[in-house]
Amino acid sequence: GKNEYDLLVIGGGSGGLACAKEAAQFGRKVAVLDYVEPSPRGTAWGLGGTCVNVGCIPKKLMHQAALLGSALKDAQHYGWNISQPVHHTWSVMAQGVQNYVKSLNWGHRVQLQDKKVKYFNIKGSFSDPHTVRGLTKAGKEVSCCDNIVIATGGRPKYPTHITGALEYGITSDDLFWLKESPGKTLPSFILYVSLECAGFLTGIGLDTTVMMRSIPLRGFDQASHVSKKKQICFTTQQQMASLVTEHMESYGTKFLKRCFPTKVEKLKSSRLQVTWKNADLNTEETDSFDTVMWAVGRVPDTKTLNLETVGVKTNSETGKIIVDASEATSVPHIYAVGDITEGRPELTPTAIAAGKLLAQRLFGQSSELMDYDNVPTTVFTPLEYGCVGLSEEAAVQCHGSDNIEVYHAYYKPLEFTVAERDATQCYVKMVCLREREQRILGLHFIGPNAGEVIQGFALGIKCGATYPQLMKTVGIHPTCAEEVTKLHITKRSGLDATVTGC
């Protein structure tokens, strides 16, 4: 009875806000603590979390800016007289994107007020399993009755072993809030974030170099395409990633492969000189850049939470919180959702769904758990890569290679023809079971609007669609998505998978 709240949520991002709003619908007393620690460069932002402020939303808008740039090039082939060269003004784009993001911050605050959720712009720290202290000068105690949800997400890592990395580098936390153009940029190392950023930076006309340690897009689609001559195994992810990066290279992004940066120094001109080791040539090389952006992974934001004191167990390697199928941590009545949780996809829609379902189980007599199978996702590189379900190698691991059939095709979007655009990298691959009804296990698609294409097929795959059912599905002509309904060449056959004719 003495406790102030039925639910306290730490972290006002996708998962935390969804959970808080849903709990409030059940008439519960709810509070949200959200505090953004400024980045080492001093960038901070409002309520809403990574996706809204420094993730999906600004990224997709800047990706759109780059797509419009390539549309301007195509337009001439279609009869539009566009005086060359066209010029892009970073500050205009940035202002538009930042204003939209600020409107979303405001929208979230209004929604919390409407639903009578208390919002505190302070850091939370556990003093005991039922009490979270707001870390302000006053040290205001916020006690909580039954339930606490940790949804603090992650922040970009800095490679602190590299001299000058922290002093002179930026991360995705800063890129989207730059007022002025980042100029000649080196996004270093590879996560899909760095490829997406390198893609749109090149697309708006900036000189962009990506430094790669190894295979791009770690953790996406990885498939054994074993060549007859040599036993080389490419993973689906490597295959997809190499198509995406080949496309980027052909549009001007430079890639330094198997290069390890060793130091960053500031020159008198206030440009940044980067020194790296080339592992293949065993040489040391340098070049100067206006901006160096690190994309070397994310770390869970748990520093100030004081989890040890209350006994919330984390994974010793990743630092993420260990949860069960109901998002419960090792401490009763303490839960966690979103990027902070071990073994879950780092995606906004899964965090939102998990947060909502958690509130429904806590306050709405529901027993439904979040289903993390067949979650669709897309990488917004200049040529988009979308996938749902299993990669080829995961399917082989589960069912054995004799029980898996892979259908694939290289296709040409109609729009590319008149524009004389290269479609070498437009590719679709479907992973099916060979036995019984030939259930579709996974779909991988590289091409324009991959997100829109995969979203539709995700429903079918969630419903257990089979290859024969797909063959009965009539395509919409002429679209890229119809290529999926026309897949008939198996990888096993070794036949050329290039689509010809209309």
Side-chain angles (χ1 to χ4, degrees), residues 368-433:
E368 190 189 342
L369 297 172
M370 176 62 191
D371 176 3
Y372 290 96
D373 281 339
N374 291 323
V375 169
T377 182
T378 291
V379 183
F380 292 101
T381 35
L383 200 58
E384 298 170 17
Y385 165 43
C387 60
V388 58
L390 296 183
S391 64
E392 188 175 335
E393 52 287 1
V396 167
Q397 225 170 4
C398 291
H399 304 282
S401 55
D402 293 345
N403 296 321
I404 295 296
E405 197 74 87
V406 176
Y407 296 91
H408 66 157
Y410 287 92
Y411 67 95
K412 183 157 196 169
L414 180 65
E415 296 79 0
F416 282 25
T417 54
V418 171
E420 293 173 17
R421 266 171 73 176
D422 178 25
T424 319
Q425 290 89 19
C426 293
Y427 178 70
V428 54
K429 164 159 105 168
M430 191 166 63
V431 183
C432 301
L433 272 176

Side-chain angles (χ1 to χ4, degrees), residues 89-111:
T89 310
W90 174 279
S91 57
V92 175
M93 171 187 73
Q95 193 63 63
V97 169
Q98 290 158 16
N99 287 347
Y100 177 63
V101 168
K102 285 173 184 162
S103 77
L104 293 177
N105 299 146
W106 178 247
H108 282 305
R109 293 189 67 159
V110 170
Q111 281 180 344

Side-chain angles (χ1 to χ4, degrees), residues 27 74 133 213 270 304 317 418 440 442 494:
D74 290 358
R133 198 175 71 240
R213 277 193 287 204
S270 86
T304 53
E317 280 175 39
V418 171
I440 301 168

Side-chain angles (χ1 to χ4, degrees), residues 67-277:
L67 291 182
L68 289 169
S70 58
L72 287 174
K73 292 196 186 81
D74 290 358
Q76 299 166 81
H77 292 279
Y78 281 94
W80 288 97
N81 298 319
I82 292 167
S83 57
Q84 293 297 326
V86 290
H87 177 70
H88 180 271
T89 310
W90 174 279
S91 57
V92 175
M93 171 187 73
Q95 193 63 63
V97 169
Q98 290 158 16
N99 287 347
Y100 177 63
V101 168
K102 285 173 184 162
S103 77
L104 293 177
N105 299 146
W106 178 247
H108 282 305
R109 293 189 67 159
V110 170
Q111 281 180 344
L112 292 184
Q113 267 177 335
D114 289 350
K115 293 187 165 63
K116 302 196 170 33
V117 175
K118 279 283 235 221
Y119 160 59
F120 298 99
N121 181 215
I122 49 177
K123 265 188 224 181
S125 179
F126 283 95
S127 16
D128 67 54
H130 277 283
T131 316
V132 171
R133 198 175 71 240
L135 294 181
T136 59
K137 293 197 176 68
K140 175 179 157 51
E141 296 281 326
V142 177
S143 50
C144 171
C145 153
D146 294 322
N147 308 286
I148 298 171
V149 173
I150 306 169
T152 52
R155 295 290 291 267
K157 256 200 300 229
Y158 272 86
T160 43
H161 62 283
I162 298 169
T163 318
L166 192 63
E167 295 87 311
Y168 304 124
I170 67 166
T171 66
S172 55
D173 277 359
D174 309 294
L175 180 66
F176 301 115
W177 290 92
L178 295 177
K179 295 273 182 279
E180 295 305 322
S181 168
K184 181 181 175 187
T185 309
L186 176 80
S188 188
F189 295 157
I190 284 290
L191 283 150
Y192 64 89
V193 177
S194 123
L195 283 187
E196 291 174 320
C197 294
F200 71 65
L201 292 171
T202 305
I204 61 176
L206 298 179
D207 181 347
T208 312
T209 304
V210 180
M211 193 171 283
M212 289 158 53
R213 277 193 287 204
S214 59
I215 311 303
L217 292 167
R218 268 198 302 277
F220 266 86
D221 183 40
Q222 311 203 11
S224 51
H225 303 307
V226 180
S227 74
K228 301 279 186 296
K229 295 186 278 297
K230 292 188 209 135
Q231 292 297 99
I232 306 176
C233 278
F234 287 108
T235 65
T236 300
Q237 185 212 331
Q238 286 166 333
Q239 179 196 6
M240 296 300 182
S242 67
L243 288 169
V244 164
T245 50
E246 268 169 39
H247 176 267
M248 287 172 64
E249 270 185 300
S250 71
Y251 280 83
T253 305
K254 301 188 204 60
F255 286 90
L256 294 169
K257 299 190 175 89
R258 299 204 3 92
C259 289
F260 301 78
T262 50
K263 62 178 177 202
V264 183
E265 299 157 296
K266 202 169 192 121
L267 301 171
K268 285 202 174 67
S269 63
S270 86
R271 294 194 78 180
L272 302 174
Q273 178 162 297
V274 182
T275 308
W276 65 89
K277 212 177 140 215

Side-chain angles (χ1 to χ4, degrees), residues 311-329:
V312 171
K313 287 202 170 65
T314 57
N315 176 315
S316 55
E317 280 175 39
T318 61
K320 292 190 172 199
I321 296 173
I322 295 162
V323 290
D324 66 11
S326 68
E327 324 296 344
T329 68

